[in-house]
Amino acid sequence: MTWLRSVSRQRAHRNRTGALVLIVVLATAMLLATPPAHSQPRDGIPVTIVSVAPHIATPQSEVVIEVEVTNPATTDLNANVTLNISRVIMQERQQVSAWLAAADDDDPGSPLVSEPVTIRGDDAVKVRLTVPPGELGLLSSPDGLGPRGISVTVDGIVGDVSHQLGIARTFLIWQPQSSYEVPIVDVAIAAPITGNPAALITDTAEEGRLSRVVSATVDFSGVSWLIDPALVAAAEGTLPAAALPQLQARTSDETKQWAATVRSDSGLHSSYALEPFDADVTVIGSEPAPPSLSKSLRDTLDEITQYWGSGITLPRENVPRRTLIERAWTAGSTTVIARRNYQAVDPDDVSPGGVTTVQHANGASTVLVADPILSKTLTNPRSSSPAAAAQEVLAQLVVIARNNPDRRRNVLISLPRSWEPDVTTARAQLTALESADFVNSVSLDEFAAFGDDGTPRNTPRTSATESDFRLTPSQWSDLVELADKSKTFAQIATDPSAIAGPIADAVWQLTSVQWLDNENARNDIANQLNDQVDRLLASQSVVLGSDVNLIAASSALPITVANSLDQPVTVGVRLVADHPRLKSTEIDPVEVAPHSEVSVDIPVTAVGSGDVDVLVRLLSADGTVVSTPASFTVRVRADWESRGTIIIGALLTLMLIAGIWRTIKRGRASTRTSQGPTPQEPAAQDLTQASTSNESPDDEPGSHP
């Protein structure tokens, strides 16, 4: 038992010792892991490039970089802010992207100038870092043209060790030669101004997407606007009344002001009209051909676009295939924008021109091939500040210029329909572009005029990002048929355009690429449009009573025509019998007032007897049936009239003969009574006398009392 107690005491002692050691270790680890109250966590300092002046540095330039450094801690920070430069010339565009994508602890470059700062807790300071002329240490020969990576680092003390606490990277654009010696890049920028008319009030508000697109580009003549003219008409309230409430755009003071700005400032740009309602050329360029827009809408759009260009298509697909280009040609557009691909067959040709030609069954179309890197840089720059974003786009362009000293390059920047610009950033980028000696801004027409440079390219077989939700061929045929039906029907109306126009315009609206993201809503509206056309055709009807008995060889059938439209109509009324025993005579067209009925008599002739099924058709002026025919049955008994006539005639004849016979008979009897005996009848006379002489005397007159 004693040894058991001894072992227990030893175990307890060891347990207490182990626990103390564990506590000491944990406490030490916590102390080491917790920085002093005055220190900052590594990489915890936001650094923002505020400005780079000038955008393009020359050997005579004083370079000034302004940054903002923020201290997120609650205690003051003492730090050094340093401007660094990498003197390696970036000769490939991948190097530009790699510099921005570098990790914070990657090489920041060689230090140029440093400034000590003290930043209070929860505060920020701006620091100007200035490099005098001649101290950059860069090549002064033309070979030195190109971007250099620069960075601004913030170093501070963590514990007793100096650490880099924050970094921001951008570019210095170095141009050692004069402006007339620098190689030129022709740059065209295509900015679409399109959207959903149903979202106009939101999109044209002060911070709305469409307002920001216009604000970002309005002052830069080098930006070509691709505008949906129907969207402008909708915003200003001049779009004709829609066939359905869901297609009617709502307006406000903001939408009208936005439309006025677009219309007034479109003259400062190279502006081009897209298809009305931003129609999908893949659909409207296919069979059957789309219906004609209403005259009122066409007149409105012609007035809006009278000074704009046309004939340029911006497909929904980033990479349009040959079939799409062919359909755009059918729709009237011989120039198509491809937002990417169409690479050169030769992989070593990294900078082909931006214009190529695509042959198709209908002829040849010009394809303007956008630069995907520059388009993305302007749309969604890697840089986090407007100043850095401006240097980023210049860095990409100067690499292109440097690599083509003997060949003038042309580059297209194509912005997406869904562009959500930060106005300040976009304006900083566009300002930098227009100020660069190696950039020449051109319109899309001028860009297309550069022509195909002959570079063999890979033409895609399929379109990238092609939507599965566009109208199918059968859906498109059904929509065109609705427009055709309404147009045919409208011939009977006093104002045909008021009936057919809204239907045709609605068909165009349903082809908009804006619906490709909302297939269910589009199909629902298409079904409602179909119902509306059915109601339109049913607005003209024939009011029928019971079946008709016709016992005459010729007569007139009364037909009542009803019109439920808001305007008068003129219709032809025709009877079509299923048997030749009944034939009708055509009558002049009948005018029916709004919401009223008119009864007309249709002359008919009948032969024989039998039931005849008759269709009543209402026709337009060209003989087209404009409503569902009505039917009724005519019981033809035309021989009843002849048989009755014969019978009645026979009876009358018999009655006449009988009357004549009786008359003759009565006449003979009267003659015998009134005349004496004739000389030829003496015996009869003697006999009479003898009879008289033999009478009794009592029979003489006066012999009786």
Side-chain angles (χ1 to χ4, degrees), residues 278-433:
D278 198 11
D280 186 352
V281 294
T282 303
V283 175
I284 64 173
S286 61
E287 293 293 336
S292 299
L293 292 170
S294 66
K295 184 179 183 302
S296 57
L297 177 57
R298 175 51 60 193
D299 290 345
T300 297
L301 300 184
D302 287 346
E303 192 274 329
I304 291 174
T305 63
Q306 58 183 317
Y307 301 115
W308 298 357
S310 61
I312 296 179
T313 290
L314 179 66
R316 167 66 179 261
E317 289 78 6
N318 289 330
V319 185
R321 69 190 189 282
R322 193 186 305 272
T323 302
L324 187 152
I325 296 170
E326 181 178 338
R327 290 185 178 180
W329 191 94
T330 302
S333 177
T334 57
T335 303
V336 178
I337 293 176
R339 298 197 64 240
R340 56 185 175 86
N341 283 24
Y342 284 83
Q343 301 97 331
V345 173
D346 182 1
D348 294 331
D349 190 351
V350 295
S351 56
V355 183
T356 189
T357 302
V358 173
Q359 301 289 337
H360 48 76
N362 292 330
S365 293
T366 299
V367 177
L368 309 183
V369 183
D371 186 294
I373 297 176
L374 278 167
S375 298
K376 185 176 181 180
T377 300
L378 206 62
T379 303
N380 186 24
R382 285 177 173 268
S383 303
S384 59
S385 71
Q391 297 304 112
E392 181 182 349
V393 72
L394 288 177
Q396 293 285 353
L397 281 167
V398 76
V399 170
I400 296 174
R402 172 187 170 81
N403 290 339
N404 295 272
D406 301 323
R407 181 177 63 164
R408 187 159 174 165
R409 272 295 315 278
N410 46 73
V411 173
L412 172 64
I413 298 175
S414 179
L415 303 173
R417 280 182 172 83
S418 57
W419 187 32
E420 296 268 5
D422 176 84
V423 175
T424 304
T425 299
R427 290 180 65 86
Q429 291 176 305
L430 294 173
T431 299
L433 281 175

Side-chain angles (χ1 to χ4, degrees), residues 663-685:
T663 300
I664 294 173
K665 183 177 179 181
R666 188 180 299 114
R668 287 178 179 177
S670 300
T671 302
R672 291 192 190 102
T673 304
S674 60
Q675 295 180 356
T678 63
Q680 290 80 12
E681 298 176 342
Q685 184 178 2

